[in-house]
Amino acid sequence: MIERPKGKINEIIYSHTVYFDFKYRIYPTLIGLFDILEEIIQAEETTKYISIIPFYANAKSNSQEEFDMGGMYIKCQPRVTPEDREEFIKDCMFWLDKDSEYKLLEKYVTLEDMQNSHFLVEKSDVLGFQQSIQTYMTFLMERGIPQMMKWLYEICALDCEDLPYGYFRFKISSD
């Protein structure tokens, strides 16, 4: 059984992503994700964190590709300085480390991408929290989904004929 969380935002996510006597998770499509995020915005509060990880599943190739770098992460803490935000983004860009095995990501993920998908917000800053979600939604539509499709074509050898057999889903967690 998946435990029922406390807090309005956690409850919204739980109610939209758990089913069958609270035993299984649902991974919403893009439209479902946006519905959930709009409901969270309307909740008028923050939570400790929200994490969204997109993945693409394709029935024709019987494959699934997770896109951590196309996801969203909002972390809330009591006090946040501009320096904290800058350090937070750098920490999230783990592939910039000189010994990283993921140097390839430098080619695809920019600092601006990270600033539009990873946020450090003060716990009391409801407006900043809401704007972070809105920024990510815009990012997904304008750059995130197109960029992930580009990765699929380049890295996974996906072609136009495979497209009708696939879809994006989103894993959402919070606390």
Side-chain angles (χ1 to χ4, degrees), residues 48-89:
K48 287 182 190 173
Y49 77 88
I50 294 179
S51 174
I52 297 173
I53 300 172
F55 62 92
Y56 179 85
N58 190 289
K60 186 176 180 185
S61 63
N62 195 27
S63 65
Q64 181 171 301
E65 188 68 36
E66 196 169 281
F67 292 102
D68 292 339
M69 59 279 193
M72 178 188 84
Y73 185 65
I74 301 175
K75 181 178 179 182
C76 296
Q77 57 188 43
R79 284 194 30 84
V80 177
T81 66
E83 294 80 20
D84 293 336
R85 282 190 181 96
E86 187 177 313
E87 192 63 35
F88 177 76
I89 294 292

Side-chain angles (χ1 to χ4, degrees), residues 20-106:
F20 193 66
D21 293 329
F22 314 110
K23 293 180 183 174
Y24 301 102
R25 290 244 177 239
I26 298 169
Y27 300 104
T29 62
L30 184 60
I31 293 169
L33 173 68
F34 280 17
D35 289 343
I36 294 167
L37 293 177
E38 286 293 344
E39 197 171 328
I40 290 170
I41 288 170
Q42 293 170 11
E44 297 281 331
E45 63 180 50
T46 65
T47 189
K48 287 182 190 173
Y49 77 88
I50 294 179
S51 174
I52 297 173
I53 300 172
F55 62 92
Y56 179 85
N58 190 289
K60 186 176 180 185
S61 63
N62 195 27
S63 65
Q64 181 171 301
E65 188 68 36
E66 196 169 281
F67 292 102
D68 292 339
M69 59 279 193
M72 178 188 84
Y73 185 65
I74 301 175
K75 181 178 179 182
C76 296
Q77 57 188 43
R79 284 194 30 84
V80 177
T81 66
E83 294 80 20
D84 293 336
R85 282 190 181 96
E86 187 177 313
E87 192 63 35
F88 177 76
I89 294 292
K90 286 179 184 175
D91 289 346
C92 291
M93 296 177 77
F94 58 88
W95 56 89
L96 296 178
D97 181 55
K98 66 179 177 130
D99 297 326
S100 175
E101 296 176 20
Y102 300 96
K103 284 285 188 197
L104 173 68
L105 293 178
E106 253 180 308

